[in-house]
Amino acid sequence: MTDKLIPLPTPGDILKAEFLDPMGITPYRLAKAIHVPQTRIAAIVKDGREITADTALRLSAFFGMSDAFFVNLQANYNAMQARAKLAAELATIERFVLAA
């Protein structure tokens, strides 16, 4: 039996599933509303392009979220990806303990 992990949803997957689809908003409409090229939103949703700080602030303003919401969504995704990639090496790092 192989250990197969479920792929992490990208921030674009979450944007689509939790915001766009339920609210009936197309990537084109969102792009126009937040003043970015439609290709940027399409790349985030379809291709897993990272959400930059610029785009994150625009999304937060549009959806009424905190400024940090989409920034943190991307940062957490990046950390989980790095943690999975570096798991074996991270396991060899001995934690520092301050002597009493």
Side-chain angles (χ1 to χ4, degrees), residues 25-61:
I25 301 169
T26 64
Y28 177 80
R29 180 174 166 211
L30 175 62
K32 291 298 176 193
I34 66 171
H35 312 292
V36 298
Q38 188 274 332
T39 53
R40 182 186 306 182
I41 301 301
I44 290 169
V45 171
K46 293 181 182 177
D47 302 326
R49 176 179 169 169
E50 289 195 11
I51 296 176
T52 63
D54 175 276
T55 302
L57 291 171
R58 293 167 187 267
L59 291 171
S60 292

Side-chain angles (χ1 to χ4, degrees), residues 68-83:
F69 182 84
F70 289 98
V71 170
N72 287 340
L73 185 64
Q74 185 65 56
N76 287 332
Y77 176 78
N78 292 350
M80 287 187 283
Q81 290 287 90
R83 189 177 300 113

